[in-house]
Amino acid sequence: MIAQVLHHIDWLLLWGLIATCVMASVQEGTQHFGLSRISFPFLLGAFFTGNRRHAEAVGFVLYLFGGFVFALGYGCLFESLHAANGGIGALAGLAQGLVMLLLVLPALPSFHPRMASPHDGPEAARRIEPPGFLALHYGPRAPLIHLLGQILFGLILGVTYPL
């Protein structure tokens, strides 16, 4: 299975990048319109630097790399199912989004070096607001926007995967 996925490495690089850019455009674009305050590139970059501008730049590069890694995972999923289409991709994106909202984001304050704890509040070194349940601390539309981005990511990969 891995060999078949790696056979499509050029596809993974191209469409993983495109799907990640679409997902980021939805999530970051809605942030600029005031619909959400969540920024995964910023949260990712803030792991490595306390400088907000640098965190966004570093985070975006890591976010693009993460999109490629997840595209590899989607390729493995499609190969194991011997099927690839928009429905499968969208369901996989929905599942990935739900895992992020229900498991990863609630645990983030436990290990993010710059994120405040929901129990202790902000400190000098921990000033980023924790996401809260379903990332609702980042706005009431944040979970839906996150899920929309993830579904689009999976949909693009499912429609374009060369099975």
Side-chain angles (χ1 to χ4, degrees):
M1 172 177 54
I2 298 294
Q4 291 98 335
V5 172
L6 292 178
H7 177 72
H8 300 299
I9 197 77
D10 55 343
W11 173 90
L12 290 165
L13 286 170
L14 173 65
W15 287 102
L17 175 67
I18 290 169
T20 303
C21 287
V22 167
M23 179 173 57
S25 295
V26 166
Q27 293 172 344
E28 297 293 311
T30 55
Q31 180 187 27
H32 292 290
F33 285 111
L35 300 174
S36 172
R37 292 186 306 114
I38 196 164
S39 172
F40 286 101
F42 171 73
L43 290 175
L44 191 56
F47 265 99
F48 302 98
T49 179
N51 181 306
R52 293 183 83 79
R53 282 187 298 215
H54 292 143
E56 289 176 1
V58 168
F60 193 72
V61 170
L62 293 171
Y63 193 72
L64 290 175
F65 178 75
F68 170 69
V69 172
F70 277 102
L72 280 170
Y74 278 70
C76 289
L77 171 69
F78 299 144
E79 289 291 342
S80 68
L81 295 174
H82 302 290
N85 59 52
I88 294 170
L91 283 174
L94 176 63
Q96 181 181 350
L98 289 171
V99 167
M100 287 290 295
L101 289 172
L102 296 171
L103 300 175
V104 176
L105 288 175
L108 201 55
S110 300
F111 56 88
H112 196 295
R114 291 174 182 73
M115 184 171 285
S117 161
H119 307 291
D120 301 324
E123 305 168 359
R126 295 176 170 260
R127 296 178 33 199
I128 300 173
E129 180 179 21
F133 178 68
L134 296 175
L136 288 170
H137 289 177
Y138 296 143
R141 295 179 195 97
L144 295 176
I145 291 166
H146 172 68
L147 290 175
L148 175 63
Q150 294 287 15
I151 289 168
L152 286 172
F153 179 84
L155 179 74
I156 290 168
L157 295 180
V159 167
T160 61
Y161 191 76
L163 193 60

